[in-house]
Amino acid sequence: MVNSASVSYNQALEIKNLSRSFGSKQALHDVSLPIPRGGVFGLIGANGAGKTTLIKHILGAHYAETGSVRVFGFDPVTHPVEVLSRIGYMSEDRDIPYWMRVQEIMNYTRSFFPKWDASFAEQLREMFDLDPKQRIRTLSRGQTARVCLLLALAHRPELLVLDEPSSGLDPVVRRDILAAIVQTVADEGRTVLFSSHLLDEVERLADRVAILHEGRVLLEGELDAIQESFRRITLRFEQAFSEAPSILGAIEYRGSGHEWTYVCRGDREQLIQAAKTVKAEVVHEASVSLDEIFVCSVNRA
Amino acid sequence: MQSVTAALTWEYLARNRWMLLLGLLLSSPIAWVTLLPFRDVDLQSVSQREVIPILMINVLCLVVVIGGCVIATQGSMSSFYLKPMSTTAIVNFFYWGGAFLVACQVALMLWMWKIFFVSDWPIVGSVLFAVVCWGVFQPIFRGSLESLSWVIMAPAAFLILCFWLMAKHGIPVQRGGMLSPQVHYWDSISGSDGLIAITTLCISYVLTLWRVDYDRSGRSRRTWTDRVRDFFASIDARSGSRMRLFQSPVHAQAWYDFQSRTATIPWPVLSIVPWFWLLGIIAGAISQDLGTGLTFALIGVTAATVVQIIPALFLPFISFLGHTITQETTTGEHINIKNSLSLGMSPYLFSLPMSDRQRAQAILRSSAWACGIASAIVLLSLAVPVGLSWGFGADLTMRKDEGPVKLDVLVPWFLVVVWGGSLLLSFVFATLVFTLDFRKWNLRDWLTPLILIAVLIASLTPIALPLSMGLGVIAAGYLVYATVQAVTREDISWVGASLVWLAGVAFFAVLFLVSPENFGDYGLVLGSTLLLLAMLPFFTTASAIRDLRTT
Amino acid sequence: MQIHIQAQDGVPIYLQVMQQIKYLVASGRLEPGEELPSIRALAEQLLVNPNTIARAYRELEVAGVVEKRRTAGTYVAENGSPLARKERMKLLKERVDQLLVEAFQMGFDLDEVLKLVGQSELAARNPKKGD
């Protein structure tokens, strides 16, 4: 295990057949995700889809019931120091010790990371306009999030893990967080994993995405490839239908009367062929937003 | 039935029933520790004057513990500010409701002690005292604080109440003081007592009302814990070490653990001891008798020693409650929680790179540090009166003309027992979370408290000694098992393990050498069992943290 | 350089960036030889993944719209005029298509549209009169 870790890993993270249940609730079901180094990986899912549970496995807070989790080749449960010193983590609760002052938590966190960049931390603190003497408890939600972000970034982690980073935050702080993701990934080799249900963020930032639903991975791959594989095609039929006529290859439809809109994945030609046989003409064709892809995938599951 | 009060009563019983039970659970060990040694020397009746200081210490501790638990049960008043209730209704609910709970719990505990220890323990007087204490502390603790004036007010109020309590046993500043035979122990309540009680309660009520009203008007929002931290931070700032940098992760984590968790152990000791010294000086000055003054101081120091155990006892319980809450979140739905920070183990801390072994070192370091500070204060406060009494030839034992007095025997070794016992006990409790895992309900994890309770209960049986010895052997066996496991898992080095064992053996030798006839066989067994349990966390903490971190 | 990304409309972001840069080049707002912002700067400005910008630049380079120079900067291609003309035609065609669809839907015929275009052209040439 340790030997394999010393080999240069081009996977930042490797999750294989991971399943986990809490009591009767199956939180993760046979999840396999390779997350390559250098890039932004977006984890999409509704609340309770298992995003946080998955992230906790990466941090070693849960052991793998079946399957395995490797972070830079290390098992996070048995090698916490090796794994966690490479990770900058920001939890969705932003549960940093509320009684500390900003400077205190910076000093405290610093002592754990040999690679802590004090001048960078100071630069971030000034940029975020944080008063070093102020207590975390008295900070606004946005400022607390900025402190968390600072703590996650200041040791220049190889892997930045952000769990719902922008939930409940104002646009200014959200911008800071997104900019941090961009800057992190712009430095070569560094990787970002973030979960979100704000899909426009994911669409802007992610190279790869995975859609998680009820503990299963519905869809995983490069965002561009996924987006290009989905098409939305509007067909006009000669006669009006009260229910959508079934067309081969369509995974989602809506509309009324003569015009019906179908979403297909991959097999566009097949759908157009099928449309011709029922004498429908293609009136409009467009690419599909991540939002729609998510809704389609979840509805289909 | 649908009244606001009924709804509130239901809500807080449903939410905090465990906290309510906690008061009872926490207050019993104190009685065991302080009263048990006297079973061997036949001090079991109030008519024996030597018992009175011990009883007073117990009543004081009982009031602190149960009052604290009721306050914790009730939670913050401010959460009711947004409900459509008048301030009077809120204060009524907290003030009189709390007083009722305190009265019931104190009565229940005293009744139990009466059965087990002192057969003629008067209940009504002590209950009255407890209720008055509750009332007096309400205006101090309720509402936010504009200044640190409570630091003066709380101990002052406490002191006055103590004086009142002591005065019931004879005028303490007269020669002979509380040990004179004319006094009674609260077994009759005079009209003036009742008048004092009612007047005090009513004045406190009005003050509370005024303070809460001020707080509700939104003029100030700062918790008193913040005030205390600020106060110490300002002292710290002057010494130039605030915002310190840490030498190592262990150092940082130990600092964190001390600040957030174990600092509660030396705190009460530090705040109580000086006041009793002041009381002693005043009493000594009035009575013109060094012995009387020193006695006051000694009683205070003993109370402080016992008080040291209370916050240590709180730690495992609070973390138990805290942990139940975090567990809910791991099942998927995320609830916004004030997670188990009291355990010192928030998800944020677990996201910091640190091995379980280092984390265990930090926790042990901060626990030992906290218990050590408290014990050092106590030891110093004990050494000074003993030194003074030697130096000035003062009669510390207060042997007076009348009656048989065993205090000359009692004072030295009682204090050693209480001091040593509280040091070990507070350490055992401060680290208890890490010697057992509350989430798993298997026997192995519950061994420490079970042994402790069983040894104490065994003292009441005719076969106390063999039973306790048996339990001690189980504890020893478990310790050996834990040692082997820790060393094979590399949770502790060979050197470290040997050092812990060496220290344990050395302590045991001291325990054995220091007048076994005073301890009695049972005390010896109890002491060594406690010692074994205090060694345990050195071997179990790392693996407990591993279990906590990864679920 | 003014680029506006709309994440919600389903068009991959690298395509949006490509199209808008093409448009800026075609419309002359980016001149041949002008340096484009660095990948990192543009990514931070638009808050999109740097890899996306890199891909857009790469494909623009393949299309001959931009060129990489040794100094690692990206510049608008000097000899981009033939391609730019083709692009311009393409861009214009898209807009004309859109205009015609809307015009027909509103019930105008081609002659009326052409007439309108003529009028607009006149107004554009003499802005003072038009006002």
Side-chain angles (χ1 to χ4, degrees):
Chain A
M1 200 188 305
V2 181
N3 286 339
S4 72
S6 59
V7 178
S8 164
Y9 247 71
N10 46 10
Q11 298 287 346
L13 243 150
E14 200 154 26
I15 297 166
K16 279 186 187 154
N17 308 101
L18 179 67
S19 294
R20 184 63 203 261
S21 54
F22 297 106
S24 58
K25 190 184 189 298
Q26 185 87 12
L28 291 176
H29 194 280
D30 200 23
V31 172
S32 291
L33 289 178
I35 298 180
R37 263 179 198 261
V40 182
F41 193 96
L43 204 56
I44 313 168
N47 291 330
K51 301 190 296 286
T52 300
T53 311
L54 187 64
I55 286 174
K56 285 195 166 176
H57 275 93
I58 294 165
L59 298 170
H62 293 321
Y63 69 91
E65 215 164 52
T66 56
S68 69
V69 179
R70 291 288 177 276
V71 185
F72 301 111
F74 292 105
D75 181 346
V77 174
T78 54
H79 294 81
V81 178
E82 288 83 348
V83 168
L84 293 174
S85 59
R86 289 175 165 84
I87 291 182
Y89 168 63
M90 181 170 160
S91 80
E92 80 175 298
D93 302 326
R94 302 186 268 275
D95 60 337
I96 48 177
Y98 57 89
W99 53 267
M100 284 192 198
R101 292 164 195 279
V102 172
Q103 187 66 53
E104 280 177 331
I105 197 160
M106 283 168 70
N107 290 349
Y108 171 74
T109 309
R110 174 185 184 168
S111 63
F112 292 89
F113 294 97
K115 287 201 270 174
W116 182 274
D117 184 341
S119 62
F120 179 47
E122 197 53 30
Q123 193 188 321
L124 283 171
R125 191 190 62 68
E126 274 169 23
M127 197 171 90
F128 291 161
D129 196 21
L130 294 164
D131 176 6
K133 286 180 185 167
Q134 215 176 343
R135 279 184 200 292
I136 311 281
R137 184 210 301 264
T138 62
L139 295 175
S140 70
R141 192 199 282 243
Q143 291 295 83
T144 312
R146 281 181 162 143
V147 174
C148 293
L149 189 64
L150 185 158
L151 298 175
L153 290 174
H155 59 101
R156 300 191 187 274
E158 287 175 56
L159 171 65
L160 185 63
V161 178
L162 308 170
D163 191 1
E164 297 278 0
S166 49
S167 70
L169 296 177
D170 62 76
V172 183
V173 183
R174 276 178 59 185
R175 221 192 130 79
D176 284 341
I177 292 170
L178 301 189
I181 295 178
V182 171
Q183 282 160 10
T184 304
V185 79
D187 293 352
E188 213 164 308
R190 300 213 279 155
T191 316
V192 179
L193 168 71
F194 80 114
S195 77
S196 184
H197 54 250
L198 297 171
L199 295 171
D200 69 308
E201 278 180 16
V202 180
E203 205 163 342
R204 273 169 175 273
L205 292 167
D207 300 299
R208 297 177 73 86
V209 294
I211 295 179
L212 214 59
H213 180 65
E214 289 175 353
R216 288 167 201 270
V217 176
L218 295 182
L219 200 62
E220 189 271 323
E222 284 197 20
L223 180 59
D224 288 341
I226 289 176
Q227 275 193 316
E228 279 161 17
S229 75
F230 278 84
R231 298 301 281 176
R232 185 176 56 220
I233 296 169
T234 306
L235 298 177
R236 190 174 172 82
F237 294 91
E238 285 185 341
Q239 64 196 91
F241 291 95
S242 60
E243 264 186 45
S246 70
I247 301 277
L248 210 63
I251 55 171
E252 175 91 2
Y253 54 82
R254 61 164 184 268
S256 64
H258 290 280
E259 285 197 7
W260 290 85
T261 301
Y262 294 85
V263 174
C264 70
R265 189 188 171 192
D267 31 21
R268 171 178 169 271
E269 300 304 323
Q270 189 191 5
L271 189 135
I272 289 171
Q273 278 301 318
K276 276 181 188 159
T277 59
V278 291
K279 289 180 183 163
E281 72 172 309
V282 177
V283 274
H284 188 250
E285 192 179 332
S287 47
V288 183
S289 73
L290 190 56
D291 222 90
E292 281 174 283
I293 293 172
F294 175 64
V295 173
C296 285
S297 311
V298 168
N299 284 351
R300 219 174 151 213
Chain B
M1 195 51 212
Q2 286 304 314
S3 74
V4 177
T5 317
L8 288 181
T9 311
W10 173 83
E11 190 255 337
Y12 101 35
L13 287 180
R15 177 165 45 96
N16 290 326
R17 54 185 182 277
W18 293 110
M19 269 321 256
L20 212 54
L21 208 63
L22 188 63
L24 297 176
L25 279 171
L26 290 187
S27 44
S28 30
I30 297 158
W32 289 104
V33 170
T34 48
L35 296 174
L36 212 56
F38 297 97
R39 289 172 60 83
D40 286 350
V41 280
D42 290 326
L43 282 176
Q44 289 183 30
S45 168
V46 182
S47 60
Q48 291 160 294
R49 296 286 129 193
E50 298 86 348
V51 175
I52 289 177
I54 297 154
L55 293 193
M56 278 175 16
I57 290 164
N58 269 293
V59 170
L60 283 177
C61 292
L62 196 62
V63 168
V64 171
V65 172
I66 287 182
C69 284
V70 170
I71 286 179
T73 310
Q74 290 180 325
S76 163
M77 253 188 200
S78 55
S79 57
F80 291 88
Y81 291 171
L82 295 177
K83 291 200 166 70
M85 291 173 79
S86 69
T87 305
T88 323
I90 298 175
V91 172
N92 280 346
F93 179 66
F94 275 79
Y95 190 91
W96 300 115
F100 175 74
L101 284 176
V102 166
C104 290
Q105 294 202 30
V106 169
L108 185 67
M109 282 318 291
L110 290 179
W111 177 70
M112 277 167 61
W113 293 359
K114 194 171 162 162
I115 294 174
F116 286 124
F117 303 108
V118 181
S119 53
D120 49 358
W121 196 313
I123 292 181
V124 183
S126 304
V127 170
L128 187 74
F129 175 72
V131 170
V132 171
C133 281
W134 167 263
V136 169
F137 279 92
Q138 289 308 298
I140 296 167
F141 282 110
R142 294 298 180 188
S144 54
L145 295 145
E146 263 307 284
S147 68
L148 270 178
S149 57
W150 72 273
V151 174
I152 313 295
M153 278 176 22
F158 189 62
L159 221 57
I160 293 166
L161 287 170
C162 287
F163 209 78
W164 184 44
L165 175 69
M166 288 175 172
K168 296 307 292 177
H169 314 288
I171 306 304
V173 290
Q174 284 174 355
R175 263 193 109 74
M178 64 182 77
L179 298 183
S180 69
Q182 294 86 12
V183 297
H184 63 85
Y185 181 84
W186 278 111
D187 47 6
S188 67
I189 297 170
S190 64
S192 60
D193 282 337
L195 200 66
I196 291 173
I198 290 167
T199 318
T200 320
L201 278 176
C202 289
I203 292 171
S204 303
Y205 174 73
V206 174
L207 283 175
T208 312
L209 208 57
W210 172 69
R211 285 196 54 84
V212 172
D213 196 47
Y214 180 82
D215 192 38
R216 200 183 187 184
S217 67
R219 266 167 281 197
S220 169
R221 278 280 182 287
R222 242 174 125 184
T223 62
W224 62 275
T225 44
D226 268 350
R227 291 266 170 202
V228 175
R229 282 213 175 91
D230 282 347
F231 176 70
F232 279 93
S234 67
I235 295 173
D236 222 20
R238 246 163 267 153
S239 70
S241 63
R242 203 185 68 194
M243 314 296 194
R244 73 203 77 196
L245 284 172
F246 303 101
Q247 296 130 16
S248 65
V250 176
H251 183 206
Q253 186 57 38
W255 171 80
Y256 172 87
D257 194 51
F258 185 76
Q259 292 279 321
S260 66
R261 214 171 62 89
T262 50
T264 48
I265 296 171
W267 238 103
V269 180
L270 200 63
S271 51
I272 286 177
V273 167
W275 290 103
F276 273 97
W277 270 93
L278 191 66
L279 194 69
I281 291 168
I282 293 168
I286 295 172
S287 66
Q288 306 268 299
D289 178 27
L290 192 59
T292 309
L294 289 176
T295 310
F296 269 94
L298 277 181
I299 286 176
V301 173
T302 317
T305 316
V306 180
V307 164
Q308 175 189 344
I309 305 169
I310 298 168
L313 265 167
F314 265 105
L315 294 176
F317 279 98
I318 291 169
S319 56
F320 172 55
L321 298 172
H323 202 88
T324 328
I325 302 165
T326 14
Q327 258 217 319
E328 283 174 355
T329 57
T330 53
T331 55
E333 271 57 61
H334 62 85
I335 306 151
N336 205 4
I337 33 126
K338 286 263 172 282
N339 53 47
S340 54
L341 269 174
S342 46
L343 191 64
M345 292 299 140
S346 77
Y348 174 72
L349 297 175
F350 276 137
S351 77
L352 298 174
M354 188 179 204
S355 67
D356 300 321
R357 183 167 157 177
Q358 284 177 313
R359 212 166 251 135
Q361 280 171 5
I363 282 161
L364 292 169
R365 193 190 282 187
S366 100
S367 305
W369 188 235
C371 300
I373 292 175
S375 290
I377 296 166
V378 168
L379 205 59
L380 199 69
S381 310
L382 290 180
V384 172
V386 172
L388 280 178
S389 64
W390 280 348
F392 293 94
D395 190 4
L396 196 58
T397 61
M398 304 209 302
R399 190 198 305 272
K400 294 297 158 210
D401 310 331
E402 314 92 353
V405 172
K406 292 181 180 170
L407 270 182
D408 57 339
V409 188
L410 281 178
V411 169
W413 80 257
F414 171 75
L415 289 180
V416 169
V417 168
V418 173
W419 174 76
S422 64
L423 172 64
L424 288 177
L425 253 186
S426 58
F427 184 75
V428 168
F429 282 118
T431 53
L432 188 63
V433 202
F434 307 102
T435 55
L436 61 87
D437 188 347
F438 285 110
R439 293 157 308 150
K440 298 177 191 166
W441 292 87
N442 59 31
L443 188 65
R444 187 181 70 83
D445 295 316
W446 285 87
L447 216 58
T448 305
L450 283 180
I451 287 173
L452 210 57
I453 292 164
V455 171
L456 288 170
I457 290 174
S459 66
L460 301 172
T461 62
I463 51 159
L465 200 59
L467 204 62
S468 309
M469 279 175 79
L471 288 162
V473 169
I474 293 175
Y478 182 46
L479 183 62
V480 172
Y481 165 76
T483 309
V484 172
Q485 212 176 30
V487 171
T488 50
R489 280 178 178 174
E490 294 181 6
D491 285 343
I492 189 167
S493 62
W494 273 106
V495 181
S498 324
L499 281 177
V500 172
W501 272 93
L502 268 176
V505 169
F507 265 103
F508 189 74
V510 171
L511 189 73
F512 217 81
L513 289 172
V514 171
S515 63
E517 73 271 17
N518 273 340
F519 284 113
D521 293 337
Y522 178 75
L524 205 60
V525 173
L526 190 63
S528 35
T529 310
L530 208 55
L531 196 57
L532 291 172
L533 294 180
M535 286 163 72
L536 202 53
F538 289 95
F539 305 107
T540 55
T541 306
S543 86
I545 287 171
R546 189 177 302 120
D547 290 347
L548 266 175
R549 182 170 62 85
T550 305
T551 50
Chain C
M1 197 167 77
Q2 285 296 316
I3 292 182
H4 188 72
I5 300 295
Q6 276 185 317
Q8 293 290 4
D9 67 359
V11 181
I13 289 168
Y14 83 94
L15 271 181
Q16 293 187 35
V17 173
M18 269 179 76
Q19 281 167 359
Q20 292 191 43
I21 290 179
K22 276 182 184 174
Y23 174 75
L24 289 173
V25 171
S27 65
R29 282 166 67 188
L30 279 174
E31 285 173 15
E34 194 175 336
E35 189 178 2
L36 293 178
S38 72
I39 290 172
R40 187 179 173 140
L42 189 59
E44 281 178 26
Q45 183 200 326
L46 301 178
L47 289 183
V48 297
N49 193 317
N51 297 345
T52 309
I53 304 290
R55 182 174 176 189
Y57 277 18
R58 213 164 46 235
E59 304 220 348
L60 284 169
E61 200 186 349
V62 171
V65 180
V66 302
E67 58 186 21
K68 279 224 165 82
R69 294 200 188 153
R70 279 204 191 134
T71 45
T74 307
Y75 296 83
V76 179
E78 295 278 11
N79 51 354
S81 40
L83 271 168
R85 166 140 193 105
K86 219 160 104 193
E87 282 302 322
R88 269 178 279 179
M89 276 308 276
K90 198 182 156 198
L91 278 169
L92 196 61
K93 189 180 176 301
E94 273 173 26
R95 303 209 164 212
V96 170
D97 286 349
Q98 211 175 335
L99 177 70
L100 287 178
V101 168
E102 279 181 35
F104 295 155
Q105 270 173 356
M106 285 188 248
F108 298 101
D109 59 24
L110 186 62
D111 286 344
E112 283 171 299
V113 174
L114 286 174
K115 208 171 140 193
L116 200 68
V117 170
Q119 280 170 5
S120 296
E121 197 262 345
L122 215 66
R125 233 188 280 172
N126 309 313
K128 275 172 196 166
K129 266 184 208 169
D131 266 329

